[in-house]
């Protein structure tokens, strides 16, 4: 058998890009790592192939603003998160802000960061670029939750906010979120995340920024904020204090939310708080979980074990940057606990918000609105209709939800809830934890729990049973190929019911801007939404079936409706998984 020839050499154009990157890299460590990769890629054998693949992936295309800003794996190249990307991105953002603020009155930018690998350095680089560009840069005093940064943008009247975080992504990732406010964004969008068309305009200025080495960075000149900003945030999210005997287990999943959430809960009258000790302190390696996402299987195991041990009444779990909140409740059975879905928590909080809005509708400057994303349950729309309140459906992501005029509550099924739009124009896990605890305490005073509140709600509007399927891939092109296959050959029926409507959101649909998603509706009223994840190489499928009202208790009249709906959801899940080889 003839021996294999030498591995093909690295593409010359890619090699030139890598060499130019190394020369302009402001970080000696990543420059050295990239140079080592380049030498390996020019050799032969398996090591060369791996090095070439790493360089090709890192330099194939730059990171782009997705559902929640820039997000990617730490490493070299424009397609990775590194100091050069942060510096060039901030330079482009500063240019955009300068074009929209008066000459001689520099833009103000607040910078926040979490405890991930590289976050503190990235925050310093961002502040240094803003200061060198003549802007007023203010940096949060410590690694803090994303909601604090979002709050600071509005509270301080800043023109923009930058948050260094990858939220719930794996430990190898980091990210860069942008908020606009002050003199740059007006109306309902003030203090919300960057959204079209501004994202494309910022991206154009990033592309024109030149190499990172050429971007000026100040050695000083930015301000580090005091803890006053944290106290101001706490004063707004805490509820009027009265003692509650509720026993709560709290986990931050190794993120930055434990201290702040504990303080907010205590200020709201909850003293019996039991942290999950091994997950309370920030740790960028997230050692006790495979993925630091409270939605992922196994992520709540330590919290539930703690809850069983201390005989808790409620489990609250934050994601690493504390903008999401998961909820688990005690139930009968062997396990003893059940995590509520994001849609179930959204329905409970939506009902709470709708009651408050309907009681004080005259206090609003504009008519109150409940909003949810297109992949979330249709329950919120039913709740709004029942209370005579408007409902809005948006694209996925709080950059869309937060911009709804008149918003009093918004949520998406991925455990994100905007419970105080006038305070934080984004999802806020800390404020949500307080609201959920308060609702649980109110129900407990009447001998009921969150499960009872949910059952009563389903009895009024009909059970809205939801679940989702995530198909994890190794690359974004694989996800795109699956979407193309579904568009070319959609199923004719699901769960025994014909597909009566298929909406391709690619060109835009029902007043929604274009997005890569498909909505399939059946004759039985079931719905499946399929879309690529905006933050990871995953295909996500959102399934929902709805039962007629009056079946909250399966033993009561109408309970058969709920049982049939749950069975149909199981069948739907099985068939949708089969579409993608699951």
């Amino acid at each position: 058998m003839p021996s294999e020839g030498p591995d093909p050499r690295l593409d010359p154009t890619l090699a030139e890009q890598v060499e130019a990157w190394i020369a302009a890299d402001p970080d000696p460590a990543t420059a050295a790592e990239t140079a080592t990769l380049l030498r390996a890629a020019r050799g032969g054998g398996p090591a060369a192939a791996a090095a070439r693949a790493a360089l090709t992936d890192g330099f194939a295309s730059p990171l782009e603003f997705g559902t929640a800003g820039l997000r990617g794996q730490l490493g070299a190249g424009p397609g990775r998160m590194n100091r050069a990307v942060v510096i060039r991105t901030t330079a482009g953002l500063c240019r955009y802000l300068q074009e929209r603020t008066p000459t001689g009155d520099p833009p103000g930018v607040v910078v926040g960061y979490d405890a991930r690998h590289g976050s503190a350095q990235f925050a310093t680089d961002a502040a240094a670029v803003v200061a060198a560009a003549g802007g007023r840069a203010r940096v949060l005093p410590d690694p803090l939750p994303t909601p604090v940064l979002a709050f600071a943008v509005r509270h301080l009247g800043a023109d923009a906010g930058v948050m260094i975080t990858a939220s719930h992504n794996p430990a190898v990732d980091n990210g860069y979120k942008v908020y606009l406010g002050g003199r740059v964004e007006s109306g309902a969008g003030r203090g919300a995340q960057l959204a079209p068309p501004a994202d494309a305009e910022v991206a154009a200025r990033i592309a024109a920024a030149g190499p990172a080495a050429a971007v000026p960075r100040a050695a000083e000149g930015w301000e580090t904020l005091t803890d006053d900003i944290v106290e101001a945030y706490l004063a707004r999210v805490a509820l009027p204090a009265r003692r509650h005997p509720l026993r709560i287990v709290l986990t931050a999943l190794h993120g930055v939310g434990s201290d702040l959430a504990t303080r907010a809960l205590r200020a709201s009258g909850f003293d019996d708080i039991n942290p999950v000790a091994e997950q309370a302190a920030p740790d960028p390696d997230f050692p006790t979980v495979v993925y630091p996402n409270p939605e992922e299987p196994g992520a709540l195991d330590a919290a539930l074990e703690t809850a069983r041990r201390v005989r808790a009444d409620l489990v609250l779990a934050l994601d690493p940057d504390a903008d999401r909140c998961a909820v688990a409740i005690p139930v009968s059975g062997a396990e003893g606990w059940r995590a509520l879905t994001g849609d179930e928590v959204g329905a409970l909080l939506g009902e709470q918000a709708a009651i408050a809005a309907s009681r004080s509708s005259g206090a609003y400057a504009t008519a109150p609105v409940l909003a949810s994303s297109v992949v979330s349950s249709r329950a919120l729309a039913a709740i709004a209709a029942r209370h005579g309140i408007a409902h809005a459906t948006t694209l996925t992501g709080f950059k869309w939800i937060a911009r709804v005029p008149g918003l009093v509550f918004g949520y998406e099924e991925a455990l994100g809830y905007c419970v105080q739009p006038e305070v934080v124009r984004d999802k806020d896990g800390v404020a949500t934890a307080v609201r959920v605890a308060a609702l649980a305490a109110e129900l407990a005073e009447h001998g009921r729990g969150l499960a009872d509140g949910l059952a009563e709600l389903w009895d009024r509007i009909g059970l809205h049973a939801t679940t989702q399927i995530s198909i994890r891939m190794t690359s974004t092109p694989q996800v795109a190929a699956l979407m193309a296959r579904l568009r070319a050959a959609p199923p004719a029926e699901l769960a025994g019911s014909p597909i009566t409507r298929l909406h391709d959101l690619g060109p835009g649909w029902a007043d929604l801007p274009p997005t890569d998603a498909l909505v399939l509706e059946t004759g039985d009223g079931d719905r499946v939404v399929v879309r690529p994840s905006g933050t990871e190489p995953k295909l996500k499928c959102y399934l929902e079936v709805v039962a007629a009202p009056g079946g909250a208790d399966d033993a009561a009249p109408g309970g058969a409706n709920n049982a049939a709906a749950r069975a149909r959801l199981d069948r739907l899940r099985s068939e949708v998984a089969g579409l993608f080889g699951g």
Side-chain angles (χ1 to χ4, degrees):
M1 178 181 294
S3 62
E4 292 184 358
D7 289 337
R9 295 180 64 84
L10 184 67
D11 177 79
T13 302
L14 176 58
E16 289 177 8
Q17 288 179 299
V18 175
E19 288 170 344
W21 183 274
I22 293 169
D25 194 337
D27 189 336
T30 56
E33 291 171 8
T34 311
T36 299
L37 264 182
L38 182 59
R39 286 193 296 272
R42 283 171 163 156
R52 281 195 293 274
L55 290 175
T56 299
D57 196 32
F59 286 80
S61 60
L63 290 179
E64 296 180 349
F65 288 102
T67 304
L70 301 179
R71 227 179 260 187
Q73 186 175 327
L74 292 161
R80 294 279 189 263
M81 275 298 299
N82 48 64
R83 292 182 66 191
V85 163
V86 168
I87 289 166
R88 295 184 69 250
T89 299
T90 308
L93 174 63
C94 286
R95 185 64 180 166
Y96 173 85
L97 297 175
Q98 288 166 343
E99 293 169 359
R100 284 156 180 79
T101 51
T103 302
D105 190 0
V109 181
V110 187
V111 181
Y113 60 103
D114 65 10
R116 283 179 176 265
H117 292 295
S119 287
Q121 179 62 63
F122 293 165
T124 298
D125 285 331
V129 172
V130 173
R136 183 185 183 188
R138 289 175 281 188
V139 183
L140 295 185
D142 296 293
L144 286 165
T146 293
V148 178
L149 183 279
F151 166 77
V153 173
R154 290 172 64 90
H155 183 70
L156 299 174
D159 298 304
V162 169
M163 182 68 195
I164 306 297
T165 181
S167 190
H168 59 281
N169 275 40
V172 295
D173 290 356
N174 213 324
Y176 186 108
K177 260 185 186 178
V178 176
Y179 296 79
L180 296 180
R183 298 164 294 176
V184 176
E185 183 75 47
S186 61
R190 179 169 286 161
Q193 292 179 44
L194 186 68
D199 55 356
E201 294 170 2
V202 172
R205 285 148 186 80
I206 295 169
V215 175
R217 281 179 289 146
E220 57 184 15
W222 58 88
E223 174 189 353
T224 299
L225 294 167
T226 68
D227 286 337
D228 287 351
I229 191 68
V230 178
E231 298 301 326
Y233 168 80
L234 283 170
R236 297 298 301 277
V237 302
L239 295 174
R242 47 183 293 234
R243 298 302 100 188
H244 302 287
L246 212 64
R247 178 166 295 169
I248 298 170
V249 165
L250 175 69
T251 179
L253 292 184
H254 303 292
V256 295
S258 184
D259 177 67
L260 201 58
T262 299
R263 292 176 64 190
L265 287 164
R266 290 193 187 282
S268 302
F270 299 96
D271 294 322
D272 195 351
I273 301 170
N274 301 265
V276 179
E278 63 269 36
Q279 296 177 338
D283 188 330
D285 293 318
F286 309 110
T288 69
V289 291
V290 177
Y291 295 103
N293 182 350
E295 286 185 289
E296 292 284 347
L300 299 186
D301 284 357
L304 297 180
E305 180 56 37
T306 302
R308 295 183 189 101
R309 187 179 72 251
V310 304
R311 298 181 182 275
D313 301 303
L314 182 67
V315 167
L316 299 170
L318 306 175
D319 72 338
D321 71 327
D323 64 350
R324 301 181 186 215
C325 180
V327 179
I329 58 174
V331 294
S332 59
E335 291 299 316
W337 284 83
R338 179 174 82 85
L340 297 180
T341 68
D343 285 318
E344 288 174 328
V345 176
L348 286 168
L349 293 175
E351 175 75 0
Q352 184 185 55
I355 291 171
S358 60
R359 287 175 178 171
S360 55
S361 57
Y364 297 102
T366 57
V369 179
L370 306 183
S372 51
S373 66
V374 68
V375 301
S376 300
S377 171
R378 292 164 287 181
L380 194 64
I383 290 167
R386 180 172 172 270
H387 289 278
I389 296 172
H391 173 267
T393 299
T394 75
L395 294 184
T396 302
F398 271 81
K399 63 185 180 184
W400 301 109
I401 294 171
R403 281 181 159 72
V404 171
L407 183 70
V408 295
F409 171 75
Y411 96 97
E412 61 182 7
E413 51 69 47
L415 310 180
Y417 314 94
C418 181
V419 296
Q420 292 174 289
E422 74 284 1
V423 177
V424 172
R425 208 77 185 179
D426 198 4
K427 55 187 179 292
D428 185 342
V430 175
T432 298
V434 171
R435 295 300 177 102
V436 169
L439 179 58
E442 179 185 342
L443 288 165
E445 289 176 357
H446 298 90
R448 294 146 58 219
L450 291 177
D452 300 305
L454 195 59
E456 291 165 8
L457 178 59
W458 292 153
D459 199 40
R460 298 184 196 110
I461 67 169
L463 171 71
H464 287 63
T466 62
T467 189
Q468 67 170 270
I469 301 169
S470 291
I471 298 103
R472 191 174 291 274
M473 305 290 176
T474 58
S475 68
T476 301
Q478 287 181 309
V479 178
L482 275 181
M483 286 295 295
R485 194 178 81 190
L486 182 61
R487 281 187 168 95
E493 67 173 41
L494 286 169
S497 182
I499 301 296
T500 54
R501 296 183 185 87
L502 192 154
H503 308 290
D504 188 343
L505 276 58
W509 170 68
D511 297 327
L512 296 177
T515 190
D516 187 9
L518 290 171
V519 179
L520 296 85
E521 299 177 0
T522 75
D524 286 340
D526 302 338
R527 189 187 69 170
V528 176
V529 184
V530 184
R531 61 174 279 270
S533 168
T535 58
E536 300 174 83
K538 293 194 300 187
L539 189 70
K540 304 187 76 172
C541 307
Y542 307 84
L543 287 56
E544 181 175 37
V545 301
V546 181
D553 182 347
D554 285 349
N561 293 336
N562 285 2
R566 293 190 180 100
R568 202 162 71 243
L569 184 64
D570 289 341
R571 181 178 176 183
L572 193 62
R573 180 185 177 90
S574 176
E575 292 184 9
V576 171
L579 290 175
F580 303 106

